[in-house]
């Protein structure tokens, strides 16, 4: 299962959806596309708006900017991941912790 943990300005995505074999998994591909597209858009708006770190089976995004375009992009990313999670409940879970 993919777990997306959202806490304050940190978003962490871990795991594998296990919907299908690695490389054929439409849930993983969808989640990856949503997140990578959002990261790229934030960086196009402002190269210093976020920091991200890709590790094996883990991606961490730290939102550094309060610019409207950046916040809307991140909000949209979360909404799209939530929509994916509502369709594939066994494969992706969104966890929102206390937000300041």
């Amino acid at each position: 299962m993919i777990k997306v943990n959202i806490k304050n300005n940190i978003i962490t995505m871990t795991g594998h959806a296990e919907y299908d074999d690695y490389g054929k998994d439409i849930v993983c591909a969808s989640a990856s596309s949503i997140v990578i597209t959002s990261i790229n858009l934030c960086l196009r708006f402002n190269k210093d708006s976020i920091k991200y770190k890709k590790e094996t089976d883990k991606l961490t995004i730290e939102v550094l900017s309060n610019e409207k375009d950046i916040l809307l992009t991140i909000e949209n990313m979360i909404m799209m991941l939530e929509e994916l999670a509502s369709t594939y409940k066994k494969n992706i879970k969104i966890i929102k912790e206390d937000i300041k």
Side-chain angles (χ1 to χ4, degrees):
M1 174 179 280
I2 295 172
K3 292 184 182 175
V4 180
N5 190 300
I6 303 161
K7 183 176 181 180
N8 300 321
N9 65 327
I10 307 287
I11 301 158
T12 306
M13 188 164 84
T14 58
H16 187 277
E18 298 175 9
Y19 181 82
D20 202 344
D21 293 334
Y22 186 83
K24 296 180 181 179
D25 193 317
I26 61 170
V27 180
C28 273
S30 297
S32 295
S33 294
I34 290 166
V35 173
I36 291 167
T37 300
S38 300
I39 288 171
N40 288 337
L41 183 57
C42 286
L43 294 174
R44 279 195 74 161
F45 283 133
N46 176 349
K47 64 180 179 70
D48 298 318
S49 63
I50 62 168
K51 283 196 310 189
Y52 69 96
K53 183 176 183 181
K54 173 73 174 98
E55 302 170 77
T56 304
D57 291 330
K58 183 178 181 180
L59 174 70
T60 304
I61 302 168
E62 182 179 4
V63 181
L64 303 172
S65 172
N66 287 324
E67 295 172 50
K68 182 179 178 181
D69 291 339
I70 303 305
L71 296 178
L72 285 173
T73 300
I74 296 299
E75 180 182 332
N76 187 67
M77 177 186 77
I78 292 167
M79 288 173 51
M80 289 191 303
L81 289 169
E82 288 173 334
E83 182 66 27
L84 187 64
S86 74
T87 304
Y88 297 96
K89 293 175 176 58
K90 294 179 181 178
N91 307 100
I92 179 169
K93 182 176 183 176
I94 311 298
I95 303 158
K96 291 184 177 180
E97 297 187 33
D98 293 326
I99 298 173
K100 291 181 190 178

